[in-house]
Amino acid sequence: MKSPVVSYAYYMKKVFSSLMLIVAMLPALAACGGYDYTAHISESRCDLFLAETEDFTVSLSCVKREYPYASDGIACPVSTLVEISLVPAQKSLEDYAVYYVYGGAEVGGDASFRSFAGDYFYSQSVKEFPQKSVTIKIVCGDETQEIAATSVRNEKTLSPEEIVRCAVKAEEDTVKRMMRNGTFTGEFYVRLLRRKSNFYYVGIIDGEGKTISLLLDSETGKVLARRES
């Protein structure tokens, strides 16, 4: 049996989802007569800034994420966040603060250690994302280091919206099965990844929490791997 808090959050997700779909879908439907699946993106990482020194590995992620956050097939309005992950080269029990400097502004604060990830993590809501490069400041006690972090995106990198359209095209039969009375009953997770090259992860989640996970080329949208869970 769901607790009152969980039930209320689930109810609010449905209300927010319905309102968001009405607003987001009308322009697209009127313009081209198609269905706007991008209105169902409940999480997206559109950019990733990376830097590494002998002492630290740092990543800054530009994220849009729904609230309440739940893999339930219902997309809600999203918040705009910057997330910073700091991994010291040597394990330590130090306290760290992390900041990024961009456009004359400095954003950041005390980072929390995440045992499951082995990193120090900081997250904050922002009005806009940085572009191309940022300076990361790492503060530990009286010591401060600055590192230049560069975006992994290039002029050929597709946007999260474009990659979702590629995923929908590749999973046409699956998407059709998730339509109910002309409405898509699922949500998308989209994350820009960097290994030796750029990739996108796209998760297609239905109302029962089942997920189809796709790995796509970030420039062509070609599906490179697929898994169901």
Side-chain angles (χ1 to χ4, degrees):
M1 180 177 179
K2 294 184 178 178
S3 69
V5 174
V6 173
S7 298
Y8 177 75
Y10 182 78
Y11 169 76
M12 291 306 296
K13 282 201 72 176
K14 282 194 170 185
V15 173
F16 286 142
S17 178
S18 299
L19 292 174
M20 182 184 69
L21 287 178
I22 293 172
V23 173
M25 288 172 52
L26 286 177
L29 292 173
C32 61
Y35 190 91
D36 184 15
Y37 291 96
T38 65
H40 298 268
I41 299 176
S42 58
E43 180 186 56
S44 67
R45 180 165 65 201
C46 62
D47 207 347
L48 184 63
F49 296 75
L50 301 178
E52 186 173 0
T53 69
E54 293 181 353
D55 300 318
F56 302 103
T57 298
V58 184
S59 65
L60 183 151
S61 300
C62 298
V63 178
K64 292 182 179 180
R65 183 177 295 123
E66 70 173 359
Y67 181 82
Y69 184 63
S71 298
D72 54 10
I74 302 172
C76 281
V78 297
S79 299
T80 303
L81 308 166
V82 163
E83 299 178 341
I84 303 175
S85 171
L86 172 70
V87 181
Q90 302 295 327
K91 292 183 179 180
S92 68
L93 298 177
E94 302 288 349
D95 292 326
Y96 291 97
V98 291
Y99 303 85
Y100 77 90
V101 182
Y102 178 77
E106 184 173 288
V107 178
D110 293 337
S112 301
F113 181 72
R114 301 190 299 182
S115 58
F116 71 90
D119 68 347
Y120 292 84
F121 182 79
Y122 179 83
S123 176
Q124 182 168 322
S125 298
V126 295
K127 292 183 178 180
E128 60 181 2
F129 291 136
Q131 303 288 328
K132 296 184 179 180
S133 66
V134 297
T135 297
I136 304 293
K137 289 178 61 176
I138 303 167
V139 181
C140 181
D142 296 330
E143 297 184 2
T144 299
Q145 291 191 38
E146 294 189 356
I147 306 174
T150 305
S151 169
V152 302
R153 293 185 63 89
N154 59 52
E155 65 278 1
K156 295 182 180 180
T157 305
L158 299 176
S159 68
E161 291 76 16
E162 290 171 325
I163 211 71
V164 162
R165 295 186 187 103
C166 293
V168 168
K169 184 176 181 180
E171 291 291 326
E172 184 176 358
D173 290 341
T174 299
V175 170
K176 285 182 178 179
R177 289 197 297 270
M178 295 172 68
M179 298 294 290
R180 298 290 185 276
N181 299 319
T183 300
F184 179 69
T185 59
E187 61 184 329
F188 297 94
Y189 289 173
V190 187
R191 298 167 190 152
L192 181 62
L193 307 172
R194 176 72 179 185
R195 298 298 180 258
K196 292 183 179 180
S197 301
N198 291 347
F199 303 94
Y200 268 108
Y201 163 82
V202 175
I204 307 175
I205 301 97
D206 67 16
E208 298 178 354
K210 296 180 181 178
T211 303
I212 294 176
S213 298
L214 305 175
L215 186 67
L216 299 94
D217 185 284
S218 67
E219 297 181 5
T220 66
K222 179 181 179 181
V223 176
L224 304 175
R226 182 184 189 276
R227 181 168 62 92
E228 294 187 31
S229 58

